[in-house]
């Protein structure tokens, strides 16, 4: 199986907004429609402007999930942040979430300006916590907007 991240375009955004998590997972992630809207503008915080890069997750050419990362080369702790990751309820548990994470991390490793990557998740999201910990993310013991923060040092 080939899993790839593809840009969100005029051709695929309607297929990507149809992808959904299970009802009991809806408080773990924003809808893909919201994320794609948000990505048009990026966001500002005390460390400056973050660009948001939304991606479709494709398995053997079929859309199965969605991811979005942010970049801010002025951030003092992590210049990359994984803002969204979801696999449609019909395709979960088949390795797509892990593969999408690995592909984002490869992109970041290839950019020598990015020294660390941040991610955050609801404290009760055990599946996410275990997945990210297995990829090397470590919790410094802080909350970010009420979510557990984890950081992976790349270099
Ligand atoms: C988190 C999420 C993206 C994982 O996607 P996925 O495609 O199912 O992930 P994978 O199939 O690659 O599985 C990753 C690991 O999680 C485990 N896992 C997946 N679903 C699970 C479940 N329901 N219960 C227990 N473990 C589960 C897998 O066994 C796998 O572990 P392993 O690699 O050690 O065997 C998906 O569960 C999801 O969309 N959840 C709702 C949204 C969400 O929580 N996003 C993260 C916000 S921070």
């Amino acid at each position: 199986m080939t899993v790839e991240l593809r840009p969100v375009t005029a051709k695929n955004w309607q297929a990507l907004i149809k992808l959904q998590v299970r009802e009991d997972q809806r408080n773990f992630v924003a809808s893909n429609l919201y994320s794609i809207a948000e990505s048009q503008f990026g966001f500002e915080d005390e460390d400056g402007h973050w660009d948001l890069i939304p991606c479709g997750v494709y398995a053997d050419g079929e859309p199965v999930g969605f991811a979005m990362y942010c970049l801010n080369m002025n951030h003092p702790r992590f210049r990359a942040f994984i803002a969204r990751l979801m696999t449609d309820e019909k395709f979960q548990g088949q390795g797509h979430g892990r593969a999408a994470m690995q592909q984002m991390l490869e992109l970041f490793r290839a950019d020598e300006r990015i020294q660390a990557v941040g991610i955050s998740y609801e404290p009760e999201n055990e599946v996410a916590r275990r997945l990210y910990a297995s990829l090397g993310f470590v919790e410094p013991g802080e909350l970010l907007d009420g979510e557990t923060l984890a950081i992976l040092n790349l270099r």
Side-chain angles (χ1 to χ4, degrees):
M1 178 188 56
T2 313
V3 175
E4 51 175 351
L5 299 179
R6 292 190 190 169
V8 177
T9 66
K11 286 202 172 129
N12 68 4
W13 71 271
Q14 284 161 317
L16 294 172
I17 66 170
K18 288 188 186 137
L19 302 176
Q20 285 196 331
V21 297
R22 291 196 319 257
E23 201 159 333
D24 61 298
Q25 298 172 323
R26 300 228 167 120
N27 64 324
F28 292 155
V29 68
S31 73
N32 297 344
L33 177 60
Y34 182 92
S35 296
I36 290 169
E38 192 184 13
S39 72
Q40 303 307 301
F41 309 105
F43 71 90
E44 311 282 333
D45 66 11
E46 62 278 8
D47 296 303
H49 181 85
W50 291 84
D51 289 320
L52 296 178
I53 297 99
C55 315
V57 179
Y58 283 76
D60 291 337
E62 183 178 13
V64 298
F66 178 84
M68 185 161 80
Y69 59 91
C70 334
L71 298 175
N72 173 0
M73 294 307 157
N74 295 319
H75 195 278
R77 286 174 84 192
F78 35 78
R79 294 177 176 168
F81 194 92
I82 297 174
R84 303 283 146 70
L85 176 71
M86 63 81 75
T87 301
D88 180 87
E89 58 186 333
K90 294 189 291 298
F91 301 103
Q92 292 184 13
Q94 299 172 33
H96 306 317
R98 179 178 291 280
M101 283 295 295
Q102 281 163 339
Q103 303 226 351
M104 281 188 278
L105 296 181
E106 259 174 53
L107 286 174
F108 302 147
R109 283 199 177 94
D111 185 336
E112 59 189 25
R113 296 170 303 170
I114 300 175
Q115 79 290 25
V117 186
I119 199 161
S120 69
Y121 37 85
E122 292 293 332
E124 67 272 24
N125 194 346
E126 271 306 317
V127 170
R129 179 200 305 277
R130 264 185 271 125
L131 171 60
Y132 306 147
S134 76
L135 291 165
F137 282 84
V138 173
E139 295 178 1
E142 290 167 51
L143 292 180
L144 191 66
D145 295 333
E147 295 196 337
T148 304
L149 173 69
I151 297 176
L152 172 67
N153 285 314
L154 295 180
R155 35 194 124 239

